[in-house]
Amino acid sequence: MNNWTPYFREKCKPFFLTLTTLFFLSFFSLTSHAGPRPEVAERIIAYRGDQGIKIWTLRIGDRKAHEALVQIEDVDHDWNLLIQKMKITRVNDELRYSVTTGGKRHVVLILKQNNGELYLPNEPIAINLAYSDSLSQQGDAQNFLNHYLANKK
């Protein structure tokens, strides 16, 4: 039987390595699953602002939840490229996007038709915005959601 042991090890080694690898892959894929992906709108709505600032918005969750993911790009601020979930409230014909920081609600965006204003914390003036069809077409809703979920962890 001693003569068979080295032969058996050499012939079965690839099988056991493959089986062990598959076991670990399936185990880690089950433990890393964080639940279902949230629903998002099919397309991103983007705005251009003064000084080349870009704003990307994407509805997240059910429409009745009134929430959106918002990213501000090309701004000299701590929020540059940060994707944040914001609450949307309608006031007359305006949409107001807000976050709660330090226990206080801060209105970040006010959008009315195809224009708006950006209000960054600790910045003295608002930044004017206009809807950008070309930027909106560049956006990928699922990729945007991926970035938000990856950075949320």
Side-chain angles (χ1 to χ4, degrees):
M1 197 72 160
N2 263 354
N3 291 340
W4 285 97
T5 304
Y7 176 79
F8 181 75
R9 283 186 190 155
E10 286 303 312
K11 292 296 181 182
C12 294
K13 189 185 284 186
F15 170 74
F16 285 110
L17 285 174
T18 303
L19 187 63
T20 305
T21 303
L22 287 174
F23 170 76
F24 281 114
L25 285 174
S26 61
F27 174 76
F28 287 121
S29 70
L30 287 174
T31 58
S32 68
H33 183 61
R37 289 171 60 86
E39 173 189 337
V40 292
E42 289 183 26
R43 68 186 287 253
I44 290 176
I45 306 297
Y47 297 84
R48 282 195 192 274
D50 297 340
Q51 303 157 1
I53 292 173
K54 299 174 194 118
I55 309 294
W56 308 88
T57 66
L58 177 67
R59 177 187 51 81
I60 187 168
D62 186 73
R63 288 182 191 279
K64 295 174 187 172
H66 302 288
E67 292 181 322
L69 299 178
V70 177
Q71 183 181 44
I72 303 164
E73 185 178 338
D74 293 334
V75 64
D76 185 19
H77 193 273
D78 292 342
W79 286 5
N80 187 51
L81 296 178
L82 180 66
I83 301 174
Q84 299 182 71
K85 186 188 278 191
M86 297 189 183
K87 190 73 177 161
I88 305 170
T89 53
R90 181 177 293 276
V91 177
N92 299 324
D93 58 345
E94 296 177 344
L95 294 177
R96 296 178 180 227
Y97 292 67
S98 61
V99 293
T100 302
T101 54
K104 289 185 170 183
R105 185 173 158 246
H106 177 79
V107 176
V108 179
L109 285 173
I110 297 178
L111 302 175
K112 184 177 180 179
Q113 296 173 350
N114 288 333
N115 297 302
E117 294 176 328
L118 172 66
Y119 297 90
L120 291 169
N122 303 320
E123 294 295 325
I125 58 172
I127 298 168
N128 293 318
L129 304 171
Y131 169 74
S132 173
D133 190 52
S134 63
L135 274 182
S136 296
Q137 290 179 19
Q138 291 174 23
D140 181 326
Q142 292 302 315
N143 193 28
F144 195 72
L145 177 62
N146 289 343
H147 286 291
Y148 171 73
L149 294 174
N151 292 324
K152 187 178 165 189
K153 293 179 183 180

